Amino acid sequence: MDDDTPEPGELRLPLALYRDNATGEMVIPAAEVSGLLRTSARQWLTWEREDQAELDPQTVALLGGALADLADQIDVACIAAAS
């Protein structure tokens, strides 16, 4: 395997990072974070269906649901802040 190929059970996703010009801090857009959470949840469920998860199906479902809920909360908070 080459260095860019993820190992089984390894999740690699592109993530946009930006530097805030005013503070110099690194920031991640909220849409990127909520997308990352949803993609992670989907990937866990795929691993579970393909019998690659080391967790039981109920645990995978609960963790995936928690990530999706957190993504929803981020989206709602951003919509409220933009309104």
Side-chain angles (χ1 to χ4, degrees), residues 8-9 11 19 27 33 37-38 43 47 54-55 57 60 72 80:
L11 181 61
R19 185 170 304 278
V27 295
V33 175
L37 293 170
R38 286 190 178 87
Q43 186 61 57
W47 289 333
E54 295 183 15
L55 300 173
V60 172
D72 290 345

Side-chain angles (χ1 to χ4, degrees), residues 2-83:
D2 67 329
D3 291 342
D4 291 337
T5 304
E7 296 291 323
E10 181 181 4
L11 181 61
R12 291 189 193 175
L13 300 170
L15 188 60
L17 294 173
Y18 303 94
R19 185 170 304 278
D20 182 301
N21 290 332
T23 65
E25 293 179 334
M26 297 301 295
V27 295
I28 302 171
E32 294 281 333
V33 175
S34 61
L36 176 68
L37 293 170
R38 286 190 178 87
T39 300
S40 298
R42 281 193 304 270
Q43 186 61 57
W44 286 358
L45 294 172
T46 298
W47 289 333
E48 193 277 318
R49 279 193 307 271
E50 295 174 356
D51 206 24
Q52 295 178 353
E54 295 183 15
L55 300 173
D56 65 274
Q58 183 180 8
T59 301
V60 172
L62 288 171
L63 290 171
L67 289 178
D69 288 347
L70 181 56
D72 290 345
Q73 290 175 32
I74 292 169
D75 289 346
V76 167
C78 289
I79 290 167
S83 299

